[in-house]
């Protein structure tokens, strides 16, 4: 199965498998056979739900946010491996990582609906430091004492070759960790809402797309090569496109969990400062969750190009009029997050493109 998209030919076998699995799960849950599978297949569903809650306790508010999605998620994970993809691009930095209590809240939610051991995983970008060091540094150990879970360094997992584009818009081979394209894996993206130094904001898709390329930090035959920087080929424009490109090939979360109890503003995604926001949201439509997340950060969605392209390609719902909020009114809880100090540089190519189009 092939599809022409923005001049590129995309091989869609993996996306077809994930689409088929999503359609089956949705049908079992009494939903439309398209449901989220329609997003992956490029067909726009009519509406999506985003669950929203307020609170100051990460664990409690995350579990409460997920509760309205229990039946839908329960049907979708049946027969699948469940992987919680946390966010810790580096194994240091006080706000860099997903809060361990956020993971606890997700596991609390999952406990009644799955008996399988849940994988908590990440593939850090740092050199010479294992993801497992991050779990230790960020105090994840109590998770294993309370829940049937295991920690995994995804950089040590099998990977397969896919293609993005380089700075000249030529095909560029990149090795993507198989867990991110496995139709038998139900992937939960769990991240703190954060500002970013290249694409303005980190939300659920970026947590997955930028973790998918392997970091060969331990493999001598790969000379320690980290493939994540390949995503930046072509600068900020290239990064936005390559994240969209991977998403269009099925490298997306099945469930988005965004923790804004304490977000990060300023010089994210690692060295920003905390902003006590007191919000959390979740959705099985990751794009709808990210769309609401951007709005809650007080940022201009029209500037988050990788998300806009995903919306234009029908990978999810990004029209707020077509997103149903479960919970209190989120628009009375918008905070204006400070952008990264290099925001003018980030905006340069976007403004140039707009000028050409006008």
């Amino acid at each position: 199965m092939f599809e022409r998209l923005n001049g590129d030919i995309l091989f869609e076998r993996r996306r077809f498998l994930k689409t088929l699995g999503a359609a089956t799960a949705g049908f079992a849950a009494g939903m439309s056979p398209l449901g989220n599978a329609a997003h992956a297949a490029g067909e726009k569903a009519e509406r999506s739900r985003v669950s929203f809650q307020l609170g100051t306790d990460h664990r409690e508010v995350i579990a409460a946010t997920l509760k309205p999605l229990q039946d839908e998620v329960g049907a979708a994970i049946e027969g699948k491996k469940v992987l919680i993809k946390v966010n810790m691009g580096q194994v240091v930095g006080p706000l860099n990582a997903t809060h361990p209590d956020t993971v606890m809240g997700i596991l609390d939610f999952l406990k009644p609906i799955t008996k399988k051991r849940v994988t908590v995983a990440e593939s850090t970008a740092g050199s010479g430091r294992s993801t497992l060091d991050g779990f230790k540094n960020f105090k994840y150990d109590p998770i294993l004492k309370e829940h049937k879970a295991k920690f995994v360094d995804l950089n040590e997992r099998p990977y397969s070759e896919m293609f993005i584009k380089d700075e000249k818009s030529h095909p560029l081979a990149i090795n993507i960790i198989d867990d991110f394209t496995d139709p038998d894996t139900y992937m939960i993206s769990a991240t703190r809402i954060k500002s970013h130094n290249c694409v303005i904001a980190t939300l659920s898709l970026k947590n997955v797309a930028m973790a998918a390329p392997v970091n060969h930090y331990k493999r001598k035959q790969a000379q320690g090569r980290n493939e994540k920087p390949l995503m930046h080929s072509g600068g900020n424009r290239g990064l936005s496109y390559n994240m969209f490109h991977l998403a269009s090939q099925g490298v997306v979360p099945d469930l988005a969990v965004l923790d804004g109890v304490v977000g990060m503003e300023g010089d994210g995604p690692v060295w920003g400062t905390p902003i006590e926001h007191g919000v959390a949201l979740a959705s099985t439509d990751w794009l709808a969750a990210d769309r609401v997340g951007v709005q809650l950060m007080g940022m201009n969605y029209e500037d988050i190009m990788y998300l806009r392209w995903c919306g234009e390609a029908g990978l999810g719902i990004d029209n707020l009029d077509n997103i149903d909020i479960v919970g209190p009114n989120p628009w009375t809880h918008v905070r204006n997050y400070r952008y990264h100090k290099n925001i003018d540089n980030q905006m340069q190519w976007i403004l140039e493109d707009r000028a050409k189009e006008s």
Side-chain angles (χ1 to χ4, degrees):
M1 181 188 303
F2 293 86
E3 172 182 312
R4 182 172 294 277
L5 189 59
N6 283 11
D8 295 314
I9 300 296
L10 309 180
F11 181 60
E12 295 297 316
R13 176 178 63 88
R14 290 186 179 90
R15 196 177 71 169
F16 170 75
L17 291 173
K18 291 197 83 169
T19 298
L20 181 63
T24 302
F27 185 77
M31 301 159 53
S32 162
L34 288 174
N36 285 340
H39 305 165
E43 299 176 35
K44 288 193 176 181
E46 293 183 359
R47 305 194 69 82
S48 288
R49 290 192 308 157
V50 171
S51 179
F52 175 76
Q53 287 294 328
L54 305 171
T56 57
D57 184 292
H58 296 269
R59 183 171 185 171
E60 290 181 0
V61 73
I62 292 298
T65 304
L66 287 166
K67 183 67 175 175
L69 307 178
Q70 181 171 322
D71 291 344
E72 186 177 348
V73 174
I77 67 176
E78 188 172 353
K80 293 189 176 185
K81 297 167 286 188
V82 180
L83 187 154
I84 301 174
K85 184 353 192 126
V86 297
N87 181 255
M88 55 174 83
Q90 303 291 332
V91 299
V92 294
L95 290 174
N96 173 42
T98 303
H99 197 288
D101 282 348
T102 301
V103 182
M104 285 283 207
I106 297 172
L107 289 167
D108 291 343
F109 162 75
L110 290 172
K111 190 172 183 179
I113 59 178
T114 182
K115 298 185 182 301
K116 292 185 177 181
R117 186 177 300 277
V118 175
T119 299
V120 179
E122 170 63 302
S123 60
T124 55
S127 59
R129 300 289 298 275
S130 167
T131 299
L132 301 181
D133 292 333
F135 290 141
K136 181 177 180 180
N137 291 346
F138 295 115
K139 304 187 187 308
Y140 274 47
D141 289 343
I143 292 171
L144 300 183
K145 297 177 182 178
E146 284 198 47
H147 285 285
K148 190 177 180 181
K150 61 179 178 180
F151 296 155
V152 170
D153 182 350
L154 292 171
N155 285 319
E156 299 182 6
R157 299 280 291 163
Y159 52 86
S160 300
E161 186 177 80
M162 294 177 71
F163 288 87
I164 53 176
K165 73 174 183 178
D166 67 12
E167 63 277 1
K168 296 181 179 180
S169 295
H170 295 161
L172 176 64
I174 188 169
N175 287 311
I176 299 297
I177 299 163
D178 289 346
D179 296 86
F180 290 92
T181 56
D182 181 6
D184 293 323
T185 295
Y186 188 86
M187 182 162 294
I188 302 171
S189 176
T191 183
R192 190 189 305 271
I193 297 173
K194 301 191 290 185
S195 56
H196 195 264
N197 62 345
C198 297
V199 293
I200 301 178
T202 289
L203 297 149
S204 72
L205 176 62
K206 187 180 179 301
N207 179 43
V208 168
M210 284 306 294
V214 67
N215 176 6
H216 307 272
Y217 71 96
K218 289 176 65 176
R219 293 185 172 93
K220 292 182 180 179
Q221 67 271 28
Q223 300 180 334
R225 186 162 68 103
N226 179 5
E227 300 202 24
K228 299 181 193 299
L230 295 178
M231 293 286 288
H232 291 261
S233 300
N236 293 342
R237 183 202 307 267
L239 175 59
S240 288
Y241 178 82
N242 284 330
M243 287 199 295
F244 156 69
H245 188 65
L246 287 185
S248 72
Q249 297 178 87
V251 182
V252 296
D254 297 291
L255 173 64
V257 180
L258 296 175
D259 182 0
V261 173
V262 180
M264 179 190 288
E265 63 177 358
D267 293 346
V270 178
W271 301 112
T273 54
I275 175 169
E276 295 185 4
H277 198 168
V279 299
L281 55 152
S283 179
T284 55
D285 179 345
W286 64 266
L287 183 55
D290 284 3
R291 176 66 182 93
V292 175
V294 170
Q295 196 80 4
L296 284 167
M297 296 172 78
M299 294 183 171
N300 183 8
Y301 179 71
E302 296 301 310
D303 298 336
I304 317 294
M305 296 305 299
Y306 70 97
L307 293 180
R308 281 191 54 203
W309 289 333
C310 287
E312 291 169 8
L315 303 185
I317 297 293
D318 66 347
N319 184 340
L320 291 177
D321 291 337
N322 294 332
I323 297 174
D324 298 319
I325 303 296
V326 180
N329 179 7
W331 314 132
T332 59
H333 300 279
V334 173
R335 298 286 300 274
N336 292 321
Y337 282 51
R338 285 188 299 107
Y339 290 89
H340 193 280
K341 62 177 175 285
N342 72 356
I343 185 61
D344 290 343
N345 175 266
Q346 293 186 62
M347 286 296 300
Q348 182 176 351
W349 71 271
I350 300 170
L351 296 176
E352 288 174 354
D353 280 5
R354 285 181 187 158
K356 292 176 184 177
E357 293 170 359
S358 62

